[in-house]
Amino acid sequence: SGNGNPKENAGYKAAEYVRDGMIVGLGTGSTVAFTMDRLAERIKGGLRITGVPTSIQTAMKARERGIPLASLDDVSQIDLTIDGADQIDPSLMLIKGRGAAQVRERCVADASKRLIIVADSSKLCDQLSGPVPVEVIPFALGHVTRKLEQMGGVVVVRDGVKKDGPVLSDNGNIILDYHSGPIKDPQALESEINNIPGVVGCGIMAEFSDIMTVIVGENDDCRILGI
Ligand code: DER
């Protein structure tokens, strides 16, 4: 199915993995929006699913499309989560968080039997590199900034575009973008950042490769990586 839009091709392809009766984690971003467009069409055709949204934006988009929703607390396990990514390395380790949704995305991925990442080829890289989004409780903003700077690298508070002052995540926290440079050991850096007191979660996701399928959208079709 070629329509010249790689993100749309990937998003639509992912919707084909959804089976009737599934509980589906709904990621955040512009690529997953295409998946939700396709799921809306399939729901009109009789598909019955329950979506678990990873952000306020995704919940709004799902409601606009008539996708039934439940909260993470309402479900015991998620059959399939479909999400985007900012960087994908050959081991299927990810950097996410361009949309500041990585904390809830990681919770939903962790509750999922399978994770499908949808992306265009611009997200593929040989080695992950910063900036790494880091969600921090406001109380610990200065402390976490100092710890990250001691690790080497530059820390930038993510400022709002149509809001003066820092962006606040859906959880009411501040986002730091940690310009780490090339990341030699993503698992180690993920643990090191997430263990800093005050950090709620960062955008390195190196722990889902074994349950991951990556759908890389091309102009006229898709490439499938992973399981
Ligand atoms: O913020 C996120 O983690 C999103 O999934 C993002 O990484 C992907 O956004 P895109 O599909 O709009 O490129």
Side-chain angles (χ1 to χ4, degrees):
S1 62
N3 54 24
N5 182 331
K7 282 191 168 187
E8 186 176 55
N9 286 337
Y12 271 44
K13 183 79 176 179
E16 293 171 24
Y17 289 73
V18 176
R19 297 277 168 272
D20 195 65
M22 274 190 171
I23 296 176
V24 183
L26 301 173
T28 297
S30 61
T31 315
V32 173
F34 289 117
T35 303
M36 289 197 273
D37 289 341
R38 182 72 187 107
L39 288 175
E41 290 169 5
R42 293 190 57 196
I43 286 168
K44 287 196 185 82
L47 179 74
R48 288 160 309 161
I49 59 169
T50 301
V52 179
T54 54
S55 63
I56 293 170
Q57 183 189 62
T58 291
M60 292 167 71
K61 287 184 176 182
R63 288 193 188 99
E64 286 162 15
R65 288 163 178 77
I67 300 173
L69 296 179
S71 74
L72 184 57
D73 280 356
D74 296 328
V75 302
S76 54
Q77 190 166 35
I78 295 172
D79 296 300
L80 176 64
T81 286
I82 302 169
D83 201 349
D86 301 308
Q87 296 179 39
I88 307 165
D89 82 357
S91 307
L92 306 190
M93 297 191 283
L94 312 175
I95 287 193
K96 288 171 58 47
R98 174 202 55 76
Q102 77 275 3
V103 166
R104 296 189 182 189
E105 289 172 332
R106 186 159 173 256
C107 295
V108 168
D110 196 43
S112 303
K113 293 175 194 162
R114 185 178 189 184
L115 176 61
I116 295 183
I117 296 295
V118 288
D120 64 18
S121 55
S122 72
K123 308 297 185 69
L124 302 178
C125 64
D126 292 332
Q127 183 179 43
L128 299 181
S129 66
V132 178
V134 182
E135 180 164 327
V136 187
I137 60 170
F139 170 81
L141 173 61
H143 176 67
V144 173
T145 299
R146 279 189 295 279
K147 296 283 274 208
L148 289 171
E149 287 174 342
Q150 285 163 12
M151 289 162 54
V154 174
V155 177
V156 179
V157 177
R158 190 177 295 186
D159 275 335
V161 174
K162 296 177 183 170
K163 171 189 177 289
D164 288 350
V167 167
L168 293 182
S169 72
D170 291 352
N171 314 305
N173 298 310
I174 288 174
I175 303 290
L176 300 178
D177 284 302
Y178 173 56
H179 295 259
S180 63
I183 300 170
K184 293 173 200 52
D185 186 342
Q187 285 109 330
L189 187 57
E190 177 180 359
S191 298
E192 189 175 6
I193 294 175
N194 286 343
N195 287 337
I196 301 172
V199 170
V200 183
C202 80
I204 303 173
M205 295 193 203
E207 66 270 41
F208 297 114
S209 308
D210 57 328
I211 61 164
M212 192 182 297
T213 300
V214 176
I215 300 178
V216 182
E218 308 287 1
N219 280 329
D220 54 6
D221 205 344
C222 297
R223 255 185 304 151
I224 311 293
L225 311 174
I227 65 167

